[in-house]
Amino acid sequence: MLWDPWSWLCAQMHMLGMLFELLERTGVGWLPFAADCAVVVACICVIALIVYLLHRCRDRLSMNRERTNRQFESVMEVAPNAMIMIDPSGEIVLVNRAAEEVFQYAREEMLGESIEMLIPERFRPAHPKLRDAFFEEPQTTLIGQGRPRIGLRKDGTEFELDLGLNPIETTEGLFVLSSIVDMAAHHRTQKTLAQLAAIVESSHDAIIGKAIDGTITNWNRGAEMIYGYPAKEAIGRHISMLIPDGQTDEADQIMQKVVGGVLVDNAETTRRCKDGTLIDVSLTVSPIRDESDVVIGASVIARDITQRKAAEKTLAQYACELEKSNHELEQFAYVASHDLKEPLRMVASFTGLLAEEYRGKLDANADRYIDFATNGAKRMAALIDDLLNYSRVGRMDAPFRAIGLGDMLQHVVDDLRTSIEETQAEISLPEETPRVKGSPTRLRQLFQNLMGNALKFRHPDRPPIIQISCQQCDAFCEIAVKDNGIGVDPDFHERIFQVFQRLHTTAEYPGTGIGLAVCKKIVEQHGGEISVESELGVGTTFRVTLPVYFVDMDPDVHRPKFSKYEGEVPSCKP
Amino acid sequence: MQTVENARPLEVLLVEDNIGDVDLVWSYLRKSNAAVSMSVARDGHQAISVLRNRREHGPLPDIVLLDLNLPKLGGIDVLRVVKEDSLLRRIPVIVLTSSSTSEEIGRVYEMGANCCLTKSIDLTGFRQVMQSIEQFWFHAVCLPTNLHESERDQGVAFPTSAG
């Protein structure tokens, strides 16, 4: 508390007043005494003034010192290192925030305690002596060289530290300020940095740092591998050494973007290697900022995509060739069968005429030969027609649309009415069916073929029973056509879907053997699959998957998903 | 029967490159009871020159049987020339095709063909096709009577409008 000269003076005057009163009471005449008193009062006033001035002087000094102290303390507080000040007795007088963090003690827990609390027990006995030695001969030192410097945390764990000691002379005596670095944390940081550096270094991608003016500042091994320049050759040079002629604008544009703080992500471009070869790279360029958020450079990650590009090109080429070849094949099948028909018509027509006009006029062999020729021509005509139809699947079809499966199956049954009645077949259709997406003509052809087969390859001993069921699974529905016919030998399950593959003679079952091949092509055109399960003599099941039509596939069509059972969720019928 | 009215048999112009087909058509017509005469053009150019010649000097054929698949100038081009001419367009053109894609058939009708038939692959089918042609075009329908001199002039005065 500051000394108040005014109250001090008041106190003095009060005391004087009391003295006069005493004199009066004792009967001593106060007048002769008054002159003496005036002298005394004057003296007292002068003394008071001097004392007051002295005090002010002292106060200013102490305020200055206090300000210095505060500044010192605040600097110390924000220092990144742990800082602890002790007095000659080893008592902690000051700690900073970093010290709290390093030693895990709160400030109050450390202040006033002995510095030895922060030293492992086994080093404690020797410490005061070391401390005293330092106080006797104080000088700034980095101590502890050659012996372990170990700190003790509150939780009892020990850690390696680096210690700097500073003697601090104050009016209150000599103090020592120790600056402590947690080496464990330091090692951890070092390790992380090393790991990061190793990651950068070992990356197969080129990782390059460049300054804002384009000067290369970092160059990893990936960059060495990709571009061919060793790091010492690349660092310091301008990034333009990698940019092919005529592309310099592009580099500027990238840099402009980055300076504007924009990340350039996976930009595909070309770069020039040391040996002059051009490579395709995918670049990711991101800005590097300083503490004040100003872009000071850019990091470039470049991936060599030359091989990928080449592979893509090859793949695209293959795809193109395949498409071309497929198209040509279709064209071939179509044109060939179309053009084959012309001469075949001649053969068929004139063998027909020959048979009509010369039957019985030549010998018996001639008649037989003419028959062979006529039948052969007929059969060939049928094959060509089938081949033509097969090649037309998907070629001349209208765009896919929504088809009510149930209605369509019913139509097919109606179409087959005659043979169903002839064979006394029993046909069951699924109760609930989704709408499928496809070509109405082709899907009708598909089910006509499947049901037609079931009727045609019926077992001789029993009337055919054909069960058609439908089960929806996500975006597809599976339609099974199950019969109790003669069945297909498992050995031929793959073969039956091939063009003109027949398992029976034409005498047993007529036909060219294109039906299931057409089915397969139709299903595949719709993105579905067809498979067969069969047991010889028991029956056959053909399973077909077709894409379900969803309303949102076609924004113009606002019809329910199911044609028969509007709004109902389809129940999957096994 | 038209032929009787005209005091001459119906004349069919067959535009067909395949000699076999010519033979088949002729053998059918020869055996049928229809009083029909037949001229043959073996390619598109020949067909057009025959028609242009007849347009000038008459008489026009009563019916054209046109094969689509012709060397040089195709059947479609012949059809175009016929149907774009103000006088020739009245002649019924019966197109015979061995390919029957829906596009092709549509195109043939768009261009004004009067009917389109598919050449059947065997003799029976061929005979059925010829029989229907005979019954419908030779007997059932009324064909335009042949041109007079005045009409020929008129045709010049009213140029074609079809594009």
Side-chain angles (χ1 to χ4, degrees):
Chain A
M1 200 178 146
L2 284 179
W3 175 72
D4 185 354
W6 181 247
S7 52
W8 182 80
L9 207 60
C10 286
Q12 299 295 323
M13 294 312 276
H14 184 68
M15 276 174 68
L16 267 180
M18 276 169 65
L19 193 64
F20 288 144
E21 211 179 290
L22 190 71
L23 284 171
E24 231 170 292
R25 276 186 193 167
T26 51
V28 181
W30 62 275
L31 254 175
F33 189 69
D36 290 346
C37 281
V39 174
V40 170
V41 166
C43 285
I44 289 170
C45 285
V46 171
I47 292 166
L49 193 67
I50 292 167
V51 168
Y52 168 69
L53 288 174
L54 272 171
H55 267 268
R56 270 197 63 174
C57 204
R58 201 191 70 184
D59 279 351
R60 186 159 298 168
L61 275 171
S62 97
M63 272 166 76
N64 273 349
R65 203 171 49 240
E66 222 161 278
R67 196 183 302 139
T68 318
N69 274 349
R70 272 204 301 277
Q71 276 172 354
F72 169 72
E73 277 175 38
S74 64
V75 166
M76 189 177 142
E77 184 63 21
V78 297
N81 289 354
M83 291 182 131
I84 297 175
M85 194 152 88
I86 56 168
D87 66 7
S89 71
E91 187 187 309
I92 299 170
V93 293
L94 208 58
V95 293
N96 72 345
R97 187 187 42 76
E100 288 182 291
E101 275 173 26
V102 168
F103 290 100
Q104 296 171 348
Y105 283 105
R107 201 173 295 242
E108 311 78 63
E109 288 177 298
M110 289 189 275
L111 287 175
E113 294 296 323
S114 163
I115 187 71
E116 272 83 31
M117 74 181 289
L118 304 176
I119 295 166
E121 205 133 1
R122 59 187 185 280
F123 299 121
R124 275 180 200 168
H127 196 258
K129 211 185 270 176
L130 289 166
R131 178 157 46 82
D132 291 345
F134 183 82
F135 272 97
E136 269 167 34
E137 214 176 320
Q139 54 181 21
T140 302
T141 10
L142 195 67
I143 65 146
Q145 302 286 348
R147 64 190 168 88
R149 294 142 292 166
I150 310 287
L152 180 68
R153 291 199 185 91
K154 188 183 181 181
D155 64 3
T157 54
E158 297 181 3
F159 65 100
E160 197 185 338
L161 52 81
D162 241 8
L163 188 62
L165 296 178
N166 275 295
I168 295 194
E169 224 26 281
T170 72
T171 47
E172 290 156 56
L174 183 68
F175 291 90
V176 173
L177 179 67
S178 40
S179 160
I180 299 148
V181 177
D182 179 352
M183 290 309 281
H186 180 72
H187 287 326
R188 272 200 303 275
T189 315
Q190 289 290 342
K191 203 172 154 191
T192 314
L193 280 176
Q195 275 172 346
L196 283 175
I199 289 168
V200 168
E201 204 49 30
S202 64
S203 165
H204 287 290
D205 294 340
I207 301 176
I208 302 167
K210 61 180 178 180
I212 206 95
D213 65 353
T215 311
I216 295 167
T217 54
N218 294 83
W219 190 264
N220 75 338
R221 215 161 45 229
E224 290 184 349
M225 303 282 282
I226 290 175
Y227 293 120
Y229 294 95
K232 60 174 186 290
E233 225 174 277
I235 292 171
R237 286 185 66 181
H238 196 267
I239 195 81
S240 61
M241 73 178 187
L242 300 176
I243 295 166
D245 302 330
Q247 254 175 258
T248 39
D249 286 358
E250 180 199 289
D252 291 344
Q253 280 164 11
I254 291 180
M255 206 59 211
Q256 265 173 17
K257 271 192 191 172
V258 171
V259 170
V262 181
L263 175 92
V264 176
D265 201 12
N266 286 321
E268 291 188 3
T269 181
T270 321
R271 286 289 176 263
R272 188 175 53 205
C273 299
K274 190 183 179 187
D275 62 6
T277 51
L278 296 179
I279 53 167
D280 292 312
V281 290
S282 162
L283 295 184
T284 300
V285 189
S286 34
I288 299 174
R289 299 163 192 275
D290 66 2
E291 292 90 357
S292 45
D293 219 23
V294 174
V295 177
I296 52 163
S299 74
V300 183
I301 302 175
R303 171 163 296 183
D304 185 355
I305 53 165
T306 311
Q307 281 182 344
R308 196 192 83 193
K309 277 281 190 195
E312 274 176 7
K313 208 172 149 189
T314 319
L315 207 64
Q317 226 161 6
Y318 279 143
C320 182
E321 274 168 24
L322 193 69
E323 200 181 323
K324 207 171 130 193
S325 146
N326 271 347
H327 182 74
E328 275 172 6
L329 206 65
E330 267 180 20
Q331 201 70 22
F332 170 78
Y334 178 72
V335 170
S337 42
H338 182 254
D339 290 351
L340 283 174
K341 278 180 97 174
E342 262 321 294
L344 181 65
R345 216 159 39 75
M346 290 297 103
V347 175
S349 300
F350 286 97
T351 47
L353 270 182
L354 209 57
E356 259 178 32
E357 296 188 8
Y358 295 94
R359 185 175 298 279
K361 292 182 185 168
L362 305 167
D363 62 14
N365 270 345
D367 288 350
R368 230 156 49 90
Y369 298 162
I370 289 169
D371 283 345
F372 287 155
T374 321
N375 289 337
K378 268 184 196 159
R379 185 155 170 71
M380 188 164 170
L383 287 172
I384 285 173
D385 271 343
D386 283 349
L387 203 58
L388 255 175
N389 283 331
Y390 179 77
S391 78
R392 277 178 193 166
V393 172
R395 228 167 67 94
M396 316 246 180
D397 292 345
F400 287 177
R401 59 182 184 80
I403 301 157
L405 198 59
D407 293 347
M408 195 193 59
L409 290 171
Q410 189 56 56
H411 280 304
V412 174
V413 171
D414 293 344
D415 288 345
L416 295 170
R417 183 61 61 200
T418 326
S419 22
I420 290 170
E421 278 165 10
E422 270 174 22
T423 55
Q424 293 176 311
E426 212 177 283
I427 296 188
S428 64
L429 295 179
E431 280 174 10
E432 286 180 23
T433 51
R435 281 142 60 90
V436 293
K437 186 169 177 257
S439 152
T441 346
R442 293 300 172 202
L443 291 186
R444 203 158 155 169
Q445 187 180 5
L446 166 71
F447 290 107
Q448 207 151 19
N449 283 357
L450 291 178
M451 283 192 231
N453 274 353
L455 292 171
K456 180 169 157 188
F457 298 102
R458 63 184 178 274
H459 201 279
D461 301 339
R462 53 186 183 246
I465 298 172
I466 305 172
Q467 289 167 303
I468 301 168
S469 58
C470 180
Q471 194 175 6
Q472 191 179 341
C473 298
D474 297 330
F476 281 85
C477 67
E478 188 190 84
I479 303 126
V481 180
K482 184 180 180 208
D483 67 39
N484 62 343
I486 56 171
V488 183
D489 189 327
D491 289 347
F492 301 119
H493 281 187
E494 282 304 310
R495 227 176 88 181
I496 54 171
F497 293 110
Q498 290 168 12
V499 177
F500 300 143
Q501 289 298 322
R502 297 173 44 81
L503 304 181
H504 310 276
T505 63
T506 35
E508 291 172 303
Y509 295 97
T512 58
I514 195 101
L516 285 173
V518 169
C519 288
K520 188 171 195 264
K521 201 172 172 192
I522 291 171
V523 173
E524 281 172 1
Q525 289 278 348
H526 285 73
E529 281 171 7
I530 186 167
S531 61
V532 64
E533 286 158 28
S534 184
E535 201 180 322
L536 211 53
V538 177
T540 309
T541 307
F542 283 99
R543 290 182 197 282
V544 170
T545 55
L546 290 174
V548 171
Y549 180 89
F550 293 107
V551 175
D552 56 4
M553 280 177 173
D554 183 356
D556 295 337
V557 185
H558 296 290
R559 282 173 294 188
K561 198 158 112 189
F562 293 91
S563 52
K564 277 189 173 171
Y565 303 89
E566 294 191 6
E568 260 181 45
V569 180
S571 69
C572 283
K573 244 182 88 180
Chain B
M1 225 163 77
Q2 318 260 308
T3 46
V4 176
E5 280 171 31
N6 289 339
R8 70 176 185 91
L10 275 179
E11 189 195 349
V12 173
L13 173 64
L14 176 66
V15 188
E16 173 64 78
D17 63 314
N18 188 340
I19 188 73
D21 273 321
V22 174
D23 217 61
L24 280 174
V25 173
W26 179 237
S27 74
Y28 177 85
L29 291 178
R30 202 186 37 182
K31 281 185 205 160
S32 76
N33 296 319
V36 178
S37 70
M38 188 175 91
S39 328
V40 177
R42 297 289 304 278
D43 62 53
H45 286 305
Q46 209 182 347
I48 286 168
S49 77
V50 167
L51 285 165
R52 288 214 168 119
N53 184 42
R54 298 288 193 89
R55 189 185 189 284
E56 294 304 312
H57 309 103
L60 287 177
D62 295 289
I63 285 170
V64 174
L65 278 180
L66 180 65
D67 178 34
L68 278 191
N69 190 17
L70 294 172
K72 299 178 194 167
L73 205 62
I76 289 275
D77 301 301
V78 176
L79 183 62
R80 186 180 296 117
V81 169
V82 172
K83 291 302 176 187
E84 283 179 3
D85 185 287
S86 58
L87 289 181
L88 297 181
R89 74 205 305 178
R90 69 170 63 179
I91 308 170
V93 177
I94 297 162
V95 172
L96 295 169
T97 169
S98 46
S99 66
S100 48
T101 68
S102 50
E103 283 100 333
E104 207 166 23
I105 293 168
R107 192 141 165 260
V108 159
Y109 279 107
E110 268 169 35
M111 293 181 61
N114 298 77
C115 96
C116 181
L117 293 159
T118 308
K119 290 179 180 174
S120 179
I121 202 133
D122 62 5
L123 198 59
T124 327
F126 169 78
R127 286 208 174 123
Q128 279 166 359
V129 167
M130 285 311 294
Q131 215 165 4
S132 24
I133 290 176
E134 185 194 347
Q135 278 169 358
F136 186 75
W137 288 104
F138 298 173
H139 301 302
V141 301
C142 294
L143 291 170
T145 50
N146 227 304
L147 294 173
H148 298 296
E149 286 300 319
S150 58
E151 282 178 305
R152 220 166 270 143
D153 297 338
Q154 220 179 34
V156 181
F158 295 95
T160 64
S161 60

